[in-house]
Amino acid sequence: MKNYELLLMFNASQEESADKTVDKYKNIIANKGGSVDRYEDWGNMKLAYNINKNNKARYILMNFQANDEILKEISGLIKFNDSILRHLFLLKNKPITEPSIMMLNKDRM
């Protein structure tokens, strides 16, 4: 199993769709033998530039352990999901479980 980080940017006006989509991805990971190490919902934030006429997006960060089969399935689902404006997969050296800087800053505000 490899360690991955996935950042998803959802259309801010489709919150229910975002929750269902993320739950679906978590179930795929769990059912195929992977595990979710960290899940963070950063909420809605203003974009630096408009994407598909949207100036805000809901950001969700997930760190998980998965094999190539799981990664291919999630990548395929993301490709055909219109509520996802942008996404980014990163391969990590080790599992990451501690809160991100974004979540630490939310606690201070």
Side-chain angles (χ1 to χ4, degrees):
M1 293 278 176
K2 294 179 184 175
N3 298 298
Y4 295 98
E5 183 169 273
L6 171 61
L7 180 66
L8 296 164
M9 294 171 53
F10 285 93
N11 185 337
S13 64
Q14 299 179 353
E15 291 202 22
E16 286 183 28
S17 172
D19 292 333
K20 288 179 185 177
T21 301
V22 171
D23 288 340
K24 183 177 182 178
Y25 297 165
K26 285 180 180 179
N27 287 334
I28 290 170
I29 293 167
N31 291 337
K32 300 217 174 187
S35 66
V36 176
D37 299 322
R38 174 172 69 175
Y39 170 79
E40 296 179 356
D41 186 348
W42 295 349
N44 293 337
M45 292 191 284
K46 187 169 176 18
L47 299 172
Y49 56 91
N50 287 354
I51 301 174
N52 299 336
K53 299 182 182 177
N54 293 298
N55 64 354
K56 282 189 166 189
R58 180 175 175 195
Y59 287 75
I60 294 180
L61 177 75
M62 271 191 346
N63 287 81
F64 60 96
Q65 296 178 24
N67 57 26
D68 292 337
E69 178 189 347
I70 296 169
L71 193 63
K72 283 180 186 178
E73 185 172 349
I74 292 175
S75 296
L77 291 171
I78 288 172
K79 186 187 293 187
F80 295 108
N81 190 330
D82 293 334
S83 66
I84 297 175
L85 302 175
R86 295 282 190 273
H87 72 280
L88 175 68
F89 281 103
L90 296 174
L91 181 63
K92 295 297 198 174
N93 293 331
K94 60 181 181 158
I96 299 174
T97 57
E98 65 273 357
S100 68
I101 293 173
M102 293 296 289
M103 293 308 283
L104 293 175
N105 288 339
K106 276 189 175 184
D107 292 340
R108 292 181 186 160
M109 292 181 183

